[in-house]
């Protein structure tokens, strides 16, 4: 099993989700600081916009338009310069705060939600993954999912893999001709690890942030783990990027949950050179 030594790329954030490499920069959502940033190759940051109701999932439509989750009011927002404009309102559909998403080559957004009021301490409940189409229509793409978190589309657009955090597993769905998620199966059981954000590489491996253990692991279909990157703290999310597509950017919270609740600025991005580059986005 390969192990890696990460390098600090940028720090002084509150809690970073959904790193995405786009047009030569690393975009991130600072959830509890309510901001989206883009970081240059040297780690220098530019504030892109504010998202008052907590930014989370972040991604780009096929034409390059940036989309960000506005979690607490259960919306997707289009980023227009330094402003945000409503793209889709899921408040009548999602059973909890909207979380992370994946976008396919047709511009369809597959978005999950908590399924219950996490902040109020409600009991855990399974929930739906919704699909938001380019025409604005919203429909259920899959049901009975346990806290769907990070997701990624692989296999040349034919498969969506989602992290079911509390279940400790990665679950795969086929994307049928109508864009529905069918053929549900287990991609990997991660045991005691709680998967959060994830990304794919061109060789079929998934890099997964494990919130409770502070690790990032590379896992193959079936559950074999080939690589581990260990941190003191919480592993959140990751993406592949950089000039050659072979740099793994990991967002980490270097502290405890009580420190996070107190909004201590302990979040950071680390970079790690890896052997396999990221795949084409579509």
């Amino acid at each position: 099993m390969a192990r890696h030594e990460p390098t600090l790329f940028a720090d002084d954030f509150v809690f970073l989700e959904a790193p995405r490499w786009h047009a030569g920069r690393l975009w991130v959502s600072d959830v509890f600081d309510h901001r989206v940033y883009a970081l240059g190759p040297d780690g220098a940051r530019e504030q892109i916009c504010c998202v008052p109701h907590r930014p989370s999932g972040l991604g780009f439509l096929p034409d390059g338009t940036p989309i960000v989750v506005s979690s607490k009011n259960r919306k997707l927002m289009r980023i227009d310069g330094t402003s945000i404009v409503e793209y889709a309102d899921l408040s009548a559909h999602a059973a909890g705060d909207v979380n992370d998403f994946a976008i396919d080559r047709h511009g369809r957004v597959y978005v999950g939600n908590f399924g219950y009021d996490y902040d109020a301490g409600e009991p855990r409940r399974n929930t739906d993954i919704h699909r938001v189409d380019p025409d604005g229509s919203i429909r259920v793409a899959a049901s009975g999912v346990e806290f769907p978190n990070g997701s990624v589309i692989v296999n040349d657009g034919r498969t969506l893999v989602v992290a079911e955090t509390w279940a400790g597993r990665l679950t795969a769905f086929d994307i049928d001709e109508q864009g529905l998620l069918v053929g549900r199966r287990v991609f990997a059981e991660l045991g005691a690890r709680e998967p959060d954000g994830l990304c794919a590489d061109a060789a079929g491996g998934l890099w997964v942030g494990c919130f409770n253990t502070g690790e990032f692991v590379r896992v193959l279909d079936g559950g074999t783990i080939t690589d581990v990157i260990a941190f003191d703290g919480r592993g959140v999310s990751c993406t592949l990027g950089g000039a050659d597509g072979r740099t793994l950017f990991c967002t980490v919270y270097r502290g405890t949950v009580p420190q996070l609740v107190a909004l201590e600025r302990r979040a950071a991005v680390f970079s790690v050179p890896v052997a396999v580059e990221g795949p084409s986005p579509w």
Side-chain angles (χ1 to χ4, degrees):
M1 186 181 300
R3 294 185 178 270
H4 305 265
E5 288 299 323
T7 300
L8 180 65
F9 182 70
D11 62 358
D12 189 30
F13 300 96
V14 181
F15 189 76
L16 296 177
E17 277 278 13
R20 301 290 184 264
W21 185 263
H22 178 75
R25 296 195 295 175
L26 182 71
W27 291 56
V28 288
S29 289
D30 195 339
V31 177
F32 299 116
D33 206 21
H34 307 284
R35 288 168 169 81
V36 173
Y37 294 99
L39 310 182
D42 61 352
R45 75 198 64 182
E46 175 191 354
Q47 180 178 308
I48 301 297
C49 63
C50 291
V51 183
H53 297 283
R54 289 190 191 170
S56 184
L58 182 64
F60 297 85
L61 297 175
D63 66 1
T65 299
I67 302 294
V68 64
V69 159
S70 181
S71 183
K72 296 300 290 182
N73 62 349
R74 304 179 188 183
K75 294 183 178 182
L76 298 179
M77 308 299 289
R78 174 172 55 84
I79 300 176
D80 186 3
T82 60
S83 301
I84 53 175
V85 179
E86 183 178 305
Y87 183 75
D89 184 352
L90 290 114
S91 60
H93 303 268
D97 293 356
V98 174
N99 196 13
D100 211 341
F101 62 79
I103 302 176
D104 72 8
R105 61 164 57 95
H106 305 290
R108 299 179 296 209
V109 184
Y110 294 85
V111 57
N113 69 87
F114 289 2
Y116 60 98
D117 192 335
Y118 175 87
D119 290 338
E122 286 186 357
R124 296 174 182 175
R125 291 191 296 270
N126 288 354
T127 190
D128 299 324
I129 296 174
H130 290 90
R131 194 186 82 204
V132 179
D133 286 359
D135 65 3
S137 60
I138 300 170
R139 67 199 68 197
V140 173
S143 297
V145 188
E146 188 169 354
F147 204 84
N149 211 325
S151 59
V152 65
I153 293 173
V154 297
N155 192 21
D156 196 28
R158 296 190 295 269
T159 305
L160 181 140
V161 182
V162 62
E164 291 188 275
T165 299
W166 304 140
R169 66 172 170 254
L170 306 180
T171 298
F173 295 89
D174 297 324
I175 302 175
D176 72 11
E177 292 181 0
Q178 287 73 45
L180 296 178
L181 302 180
V182 299
R184 178 176 181 162
R185 63 183 178 83
V186 173
F187 184 94
E189 294 282 5
L190 296 178
R193 295 180 172 101
E194 296 174 351
D196 193 335
L198 71 166
C199 68
D201 65 31
L206 298 186
W207 289 92
V208 185
C210 301
F211 186 78
N212 61 326
T213 65
E215 297 169 299
F216 290 80
V217 298
R218 181 177 183 268
V219 59
L220 304 179
D221 194 350
T224 298
I225 293 174
T226 64
D227 299 70
V228 176
I229 307 166
F231 290 93
D232 231 357
R234 305 287 169 167
V236 185
S237 191
C238 56
T239 194
L240 281 161
D244 62 358
R246 295 175 185 267
T247 300
L248 185 72
F249 295 96
C250 303
T251 64
V252 179
Y253 189 76
R254 298 180 294 179
T256 64
V257 170
Q259 287 171 321
L260 175 57
V261 171
L263 302 182
E264 293 188 18
R265 301 183 68 88
R266 292 174 172 266
V269 184
F270 286 82
S271 64
V272 184
V274 295
V276 183
E277 65 184 346
S280 162
W282 314 117

